[in-house]
Amino acid sequence: MKIEKICCIGAGYVGGPTMAVIAQKNPKIKVTIVDINSDRIAAWNSPDLSKLPIYEPGLAEIISETRDKNLFFSTDVDTAIDEAEMIFISVNTPTKTYGKGKGQAADLKYIELCARNIAKVATTDKIVVEKSTLPVRTAETIKSILQNSGNGINFHILSNPEFLAEGTAIEDLLSPDRVLIGGESEEAIESLANVYASWVSQNQILRTNLWSSELSKLTANAFLAQRVSSINAISELCEHTEANVDEVAKAIGMDSRIGSKFLKASVGFGGSCFQKDILNLVYISRSYGLNEVADYWEQVIIMNDHQKRRFSDKLIKTLYNTVSGKKISILGWAFKKDTNDTRESAAIYVTDHLLNEQALVSVYDPKVPEQKVYSDLNYLNSRTEQENEDFVTVDKSPYSALKGSHAVAIMTEWDEFKEYDWEKIYSEMKKPAFIFDGRNILNKGKMQDIGFEYYSIGQ
Ligand code: NAD
Ligand code: UGA
């Protein structure tokens, strides 16, 4: 099938950047990204590129090059579906918060709504591409809905999971390690492969069956998260044995069988996907009666929760077992650097724990707006919204966030934190002044020379 028009349902962290790159590399294809969230679409259409809903290095440049030429953002979902030959489903698939599988299974209601909408409005044959991360065998559900409620036209389902990481999304999309396409129809697979072939070499476009493709995505995230939990587990052991986790990571990473990436000990992984995808893997394994498999992967999450908890416990213990009424500064709210995404960020949980102990928390993040900090805390329902406002301030300047505080906790590895005037910060903090570096980004010796009591992970 010749692809002239593409529709992407879901203008989020995946839909936006992925389609922007597809549009840039395929100037002859008209790409329309649709979303039911009209504020989000308005932000994507904003003439002021600093107002785009997503911050990603390099994204604004591609949007300015393609928008209103062959890339369009719209709330008119039905028209975009009907005119496209290929439809990507890139909507959110969060963990279920109700009913069977609550807290573990993926909530597929948005996926099902998309499938029903496609079936309702499509009048010509379509290739439907699963871009969202889905439990293995979801394509069967989508196929059943399309075939049973459609207008008698042909639908081909493909699985094309996305492997980009936030903060490096554009880089990852422009030079992917691989593009994975799972499907049953060879013709449909080749139609999608041709879209990618505009910039990805054929030997990096991997074709598999549907189920391998769906399961590979969950597996990739599980393996990546497992590495972080593994090094974090070792970090705790390092703290008891005078080994240094960064030295251990370097030593093992030089073994080419292990590899050096994804071995940075931290306050715990965050992000919208690692936890949700592993919980989903655990749920699927249990639903097949594979309890040992489920327990094995669940441990990755247990370790991550432990790492976040022990970080805040250590801070409280070091501050003479109480933070009540003390000002504690949180540097970084995003779940990693170079993104404004805060989903499942360790900062949220560490702050919540400190607030339970009646700390006065001040937050600074270079890209996260004040309202997001409050909404993340309110979402936990640990206390009233008024109490969150009374106990938490969000500062526009790092120096005011740090002034007069007893301790600073570094939650995100933003590069600018390394460049601050730490001598000035020290002079303006209460003494003894403590740093809890949840990312091991500051120079321990230098901080100690200034006079800080410096604690890091696994050292
Ligand atoms: P997101 O929440 O940023 O975006 C999803 C968008 O879909 C939202 O704007 C929402 O309004 C829209 N939407 C939901 N239902 C809709 C409907 N019926 N019609 C039209 N629009 C609808 O989510 P995201 O981070 O882009 O993730 C999307 C999927 O991609 C998830 O399955 C996720 O697991 C997967 N994924 C995410 C990343 C990442 O880095 N965020 C990376 C790889 C894969
Ligand atoms: C991750 C995967 O890396 C992507 O391949 C995948 O597409 C995506 O999930 C997804 O499915 O959503 P992302 O969550 O955006 O991407 O970012 P990562 O770079 O993987 O970082 C995840 C978390 O782990 C962050 O909190 C990060 O700080 C932490 N991390 C990562 C560590 O603590 N140590 C490391 O060595 C690496």
Side-chain angles (χ1 to χ4, degrees):
M1 194 188 271
K2 184 153 171 46
I3 306 300
E4 288 172 344
K5 292 195 178 94
I6 285 178
C7 162
C8 173
I9 309 178
Y13 283 86
V14 168
T18 310
M19 292 302 128
V21 169
I22 286 183
Q24 186 199 37
K25 298 296 177 185
N26 293 278
K28 292 206 172 117
I29 299 181
K30 177 185 175 190
V31 180
T32 306
I33 311 181
V34 291
D35 204 294
I36 43 177
N37 181 338
S38 52
D39 290 343
R40 213 167 201 186
I41 291 297
W44 279 114
N45 280 323
S46 169
D48 177 355
L49 290 171
S50 72
K51 299 239 162 66
L52 295 180
I54 288 169
Y55 171 71
E56 272 295 335
L59 174 64
E61 289 80 352
I62 299 183
I63 296 291
S64 88
E65 187 187 328
T66 51
R67 195 176 57 188
D68 298 330
K69 293 195 182 79
N70 68 326
L71 178 68
F72 300 88
F73 294 91
S74 165
T75 49
D76 186 355
V77 180
D78 292 0
T79 304
I81 289 176
D82 195 29
E83 68 176 28
E85 299 93 22
M86 181 175 276
I87 301 161
F88 286 78
I89 300 180
S90 189
V91 300
N92 37 327
T93 49
T95 304
K96 263 186 100 176
T97 53
Y98 56 89
K100 191 162 179 253
K102 177 180 172 179
Q104 280 203 329
D107 191 344
L108 297 180
K109 71 177 171 209
Y110 306 106
I111 296 288
E112 180 165 342
L113 279 171
C114 288
R116 288 192 184 278
N117 204 16
I118 295 168
K120 188 179 81 190
V121 302
T123 53
T124 52
D125 292 356
K126 309 283 180 207
I127 296 173
V128 176
V129 185
E130 299 174 345
K131 183 51 104 178
S132 298
T133 301
L134 296 169
V136 55
R137 298 209 72 86
T138 305
E140 209 163 37
T141 310
I142 297 181
K143 204 190 310 175
S144 165
I145 292 170
L146 291 174
Q147 281 170 356
N148 290 304
S149 55
N151 300 317
I153 55 174
N154 292 316
F155 291 104
H156 294 293
I157 323 289
L158 298 177
S159 161
N160 172 225
E162 184 48 59
F163 295 101
L164 68 80
E166 289 177 29
T168 54
I170 299 301
E171 229 176 288
D172 296 342
L173 287 163
L174 291 174
S175 325
D177 286 344
R178 77 314 205 180
V179 164
L180 178 57
I181 305 177
E184 284 165 348
S185 152
E186 215 167 288
E187 205 189 325
I189 293 175
E190 291 319 309
S191 295
L192 180 55
N194 281 338
V195 171
Y196 284 106
S198 301
W199 79 99
V200 181
S201 74
Q202 280 292 350
N203 57 13
Q204 282 169 304
I205 303 177
L206 193 63
R207 287 104 167 143
T208 66
N209 78 29
L210 271 170
W211 323 123
S212 306
S213 173
E214 288 180 336
L215 187 55
S216 297
K217 173 63 198 177
L218 292 183
T219 308
N221 273 358
F223 268 61
L224 289 167
Q226 180 202 42
R227 278 175 75 93
V228 179
S229 276
S230 297
I231 199 70
N232 281 345
I234 297 302
S235 76
E236 190 170 13
L237 192 54
C238 286
E239 289 168 27
H240 289 269
T241 56
E242 291 184 41
N244 177 325
V245 76
D246 288 336
E247 290 179 358
V248 174
K250 185 164 186 194
I252 64 166
M254 285 173 77
D255 184 326
S256 60
R257 294 167 303 173
I258 296 175
S260 61
K261 292 182 182 163
F262 253 75
L263 286 178
K264 185 74 188 153
S266 67
V267 56
F269 61 74
S272 63
C273 293
F274 277 178
Q275 174 163 307
K276 122 179 132 55
D277 291 348
I278 294 179
L279 288 171
N280 187 4
L281 196 62
V282 169
Y283 181 77
I284 295 168
S285 304
R286 271 203 223 294
S287 72
Y288 285 104
L290 308 177
N291 290 326
E292 289 77 6
V293 178
D295 290 348
Y296 176 78
W297 288 110
E298 194 163 28
Q299 199 57 38
V300 174
I301 301 288
I302 293 171
M303 188 62 225
N304 196 49
D305 288 341
H306 171 67
Q307 189 77 350
K308 289 182 272 188
R309 184 73 191 194
R310 79 179 188 86
F311 181 86
S312 42
D313 280 345
K314 182 164 184 177
L315 188 154
I316 295 162
K317 192 166 164 224
T318 311
L319 266 71
Y320 316 107
N321 285 312
T322 178
V323 289
S324 179
K326 291 180 182 167
K327 180 175 175 183
I328 311 291
S329 307
I330 301 285
L331 274 189
W333 195 260
F335 80 96
K336 62 184 284 197
K337 73 172 181 176
D338 293 338
T339 177
N340 60 350
D341 195 347
T342 65
R343 291 177 287 184
E344 293 300 328
S345 177
I348 302 171
Y349 297 96
V350 168
T351 300
D352 187 53
H353 190 188
L354 296 175
L355 290 173
N356 285 343
E357 295 295 324
Q358 300 186 337
L360 302 171
V361 175
S362 63
V363 178
Y364 172 76
D365 186 288
K367 288 288 173 200
V368 178
E370 175 175 352
Q371 215 29 57
K372 190 80 191 85
V373 173
Y374 289 118
S375 65
D376 286 338
L377 289 169
N378 293 339
Y379 184 76
L380 296 180
N381 258 328
S382 304
R383 61 196 70 74
T384 64
E385 295 189 8
Q386 189 57 50
E387 284 169 324
N388 281 331
E389 271 181 41
D390 291 345
F391 285 93
V392 180
T393 54
V394 183
D395 286 274
K396 292 214 162 27
S397 134
Y399 294 96
S400 57
L402 288 156
K403 199 170 184 172
S405 69
H406 291 255
V408 47
I410 299 178
M411 295 287 110
T412 314
E413 73 282 23
W414 286 105
D415 290 334
E416 66 172 61
F417 296 167
K418 293 185 240 174
E419 310 304 325
Y420 289 172
D421 182 346
W422 285 97
E423 286 183 13
K424 172 179 154 76
I425 290 168
Y426 178 75
S427 71
E428 292 176 350
M429 280 177 70
K430 292 256 179 352
K431 308 294 175 324
F434 296 92
I435 296 176
F436 296 86
D437 187 349
R439 297 292 185 160
N440 292 3
I441 54 169
L442 299 182
N443 183 308
K444 183 178 181 174
K446 217 164 135 191
M447 293 302 129
Q448 286 174 334
D449 287 348
I450 293 173
F452 283 107
E453 301 265 342
Y454 176 85
Y455 295 89
S456 49
I457 305 275
Q459 288 174 344

